[in-house]
Amino acid sequence: MSRNFLGSPFVHQKPIFKPFKNPEFTMSACVHSSRTEAPPQKSNQEIDDHLFDSYVKYYRPNFPDLVPRVPGSRKGSKGFHTQTQTLVDESSESPDEKVDDLWLQMKDEARLDVEQEPILSNYYFSSILSHDSMESALANYLSMKLSNSSLPSGTLYDLFLGVLMEDQEIMRAVTDDLRAVKERDPACISYGFRSPCSGYSPGAKIGRGILFDHATGLVVGETAVIGNNVSILHNVTLGGTGKVSGDRHPKIGNGVLIGAGTCVLGNVRIEDGAKIGAGSVVLKQIPARTTAVGNPARLIGGKENPVKLDKIPSLTMDHTSHISEWSDYVI
C-alpha cells in the first residue's frame, strides 16, 4: 500500500513566514498542467507580470471540490486552467470547516483500507478511527513517536493536544500541507501525514502547503527559511558554505520548485516562483520566475534576459520545460 498516515516533524511548529512580498500566498490547490507536456513558451514581453503577481498575492487555500486535471489522472475531472492559473476562492467554507472536512475524508479512506486489508484494522483504529478529531490523531502520533522511558506518551499527548486545540492556525497549516502532498504527488492516492527521512534544525522557518516529495535525504540548515507552497524533491540540501557563522543558510521564496539532488549553499535567496533543475548547485541569488540549472547553476536564457515562467512551478511540478532551448542532449 502507498498510503502512509500521520507523521511530519514540521507540523508542530507554527508556520510564521513573511519575509517575502506576498505572505498571503498560502497553499497548493489545483493545477491543469500535464506532467508529460511542456507548456508553450512565451517571450518575456508577452508575459503579464501584473497577472502573475496578482495570482501569487490572491491565491487561497482549500478547494475540496477541485482536483488536478492531468490527462489520465485518477484524481478526477474538475479543475481550472487560465493563462496564468489565476484562481479566486469562491468557497463558502470557513478554514475550520475545511479542516473538519479533510478529517472526515481521512476517516473514510481509513475505513476503506480496513475493508480491503482487515489485517491492518488495529493500526487504522489506533491511529485514525478511534479519534474524534485531527488534532487528537496528530497529538497521538507525535506522542508515540517522541515518547521514551522518561517521557511517557500520555504526558506528551496531553501537551500536544492542548497546543493543537488552542492554536487552530497550526491545524490550518497542517491541512494545507496534506492537500499539497495529495495534489502534487502522483503516487499519493490518499490524505495523510508522512514521515520524511531527513535532517533539519528546529531553528529553520518553514511555511505551509509544503511538499517534500519522496522525503528522503533532505537537509535544511538551522537558519534556512522555506516559504509557502514550495515543492522540494529528495536529496536536497539547503546548507551553508562551511565558512560562515550566524545567518548562513538559503532563503526559499513562495512557489519555488527544487529538483532532486540539488544543493543550495549559503545565505542566498531563491525568489518567488523560481525553478531549480535536478542536480544543480546554487551559489547565488535566483530571480523570481526564472529557471536555473547546472553546476554551478546558470539561468536559462542568460543573466541579462532570462526566460520567465508564467506558471507556478511548485504546483505544476514541471521539471523539463525549456530543455530544448538550452540543451542539445541526445541519447
Side-chain angles (χ1 to χ4, degrees):
M1 299 178 64
S2 61
R3 304 184 183 187
N4 297 314
F5 288 90
L6 300 181
S8 167
F10 304 119
V11 295
H12 64 280
Q13 300 183 18
K14 185 174 181 179
I16 304 175
F17 177 79
K18 296 186 179 180
F20 296 92
K21 64 181 179 180
N22 294 311
E24 298 91 345
F25 178 47
T26 55
M27 142 92 196
S28 72
C30 311
V31 296
H32 182 177
S33 176
S34 171
R35 296 195 179 188
T36 59
E37 298 180 5
Q41 177 58 35
K42 293 181 167 231
S43 67
N44 291 354
Q45 291 76 15
E46 292 178 298
I47 297 176
D48 190 330
D49 291 342
H50 175 71
L51 286 178
F52 185 94
D53 292 339
S54 296
Y55 167 72
V56 172
K57 181 176 181 180
Y58 295 109
Y59 211 93
R60 289 296 182 267
N62 301 338
F63 293 84
D65 61 333
L66 296 179
V67 294
R69 290 188 60 188
V70 179
S73 171
R74 63 183 175 275
K75 297 184 180 179
S77 59
K78 284 189 178 182
F80 73 92
H81 180 250
T82 65
Q83 185 60 40
T84 56
Q85 294 182 322
T86 303
L87 183 63
V88 177
D89 186 354
E90 297 178 352
S91 173
S92 60
E93 287 185 301
S94 69
D96 292 340
E97 288 175 331
K98 293 170 185 176
V99 172
D100 293 338
D101 287 347
L102 184 58
W103 172 241
L104 293 177
Q105 286 182 262
M106 291 176 65
K107 297 192 77 169
D108 288 342
E109 290 171 352
R111 294 187 187 97
L112 289 175
D113 279 353
V114 169
E115 292 178 3
Q116 298 173 4
E117 300 286 350
I119 196 173
L120 297 176
S121 59
N122 288 339
Y123 165 73
Y124 280 112
F125 181 79
S126 62
S127 61
I128 298 289
L129 298 176
S130 64
H131 300 277
D132 58 4
S133 67
M134 189 185 298
E135 292 89 339
S136 175
L138 181 54
N140 175 71
Y141 178 82
L142 293 174
S143 65
M144 296 298 291
K145 292 289 285 186
L146 299 176
S147 64
N148 54 44
S149 58
S150 60
L151 196 59
S153 60
T155 300
L156 288 176
Y157 172 83
D158 292 338
L159 174 64
F160 288 132
L161 183 61
V163 171
L164 297 175
M165 294 296 291
E166 179 180 354
D167 191 345
Q168 283 299 298
E169 184 62 22
I170 296 178
M171 295 310 302
R172 297 182 190 116
V174 167
T175 301
D176 290 350
D177 290 344
L178 293 176
R179 293 188 185 279
V181 176
K182 173 71 176 293
E183 291 160 0
R184 299 181 214 164
D185 186 350
C188 181
I189 61 175
S190 64
Y191 290 106
F193 305 112
R194 298 200 271 183
S195 300
C197 300
S198 58
Y200 79 104
S201 169
K205 294 181 174 64
I206 299 176
R208 60 201 300 169
I210 305 298
L211 169 61
F212 294 123
D213 203 356
H214 306 298
T216 59
L218 175 66
V219 178
V220 180
E222 65 174 347
T223 62
V225 177
I226 300 177
N228 299 317
N229 299 289
V230 172
S231 293
I232 299 177
L233 274 78
H234 50 284
N235 295 331
V236 167
T237 296
L238 305 180
T241 61
K243 59 182 181 180
V244 177
S245 60
D247 190 1
R248 61 195 182 278
H249 296 113
K251 308 300 182 282
I252 310 300
N254 300 320
V256 170
L257 171 62
I258 302 179
T262 293
C263 291
V264 185
L265 303 178
N267 188 8
V268 297
R269 294 172 68 92
I270 311 300
E271 300 289 352
D272 294 350
K275 176 166 63 175
I276 312 298
S280 298
V281 177
V282 180
L283 304 174
K284 297 182 179 180
Q285 176 178 343
I286 305 300
R289 300 166 49 198
T290 62
T291 301
V293 296
N295 180 6
R298 294 178 172 85
L299 299 178
I300 292 181
K303 181 179 180 180
E304 301 301 323
N305 189 32
V307 174
K308 291 282 187 160
L309 302 172
D310 61 352
K311 296 181 175 65
I312 304 298
S314 66
L315 305 186
T316 65
M317 296 296 288
D318 180 3
H319 294 265
T320 59
S321 291
H322 317 302
I323 283 183
S324 62
E325 300 171 18
W326 61 270
S327 174
D328 58 358
Y329 174 77
V330 295
I331 296 177

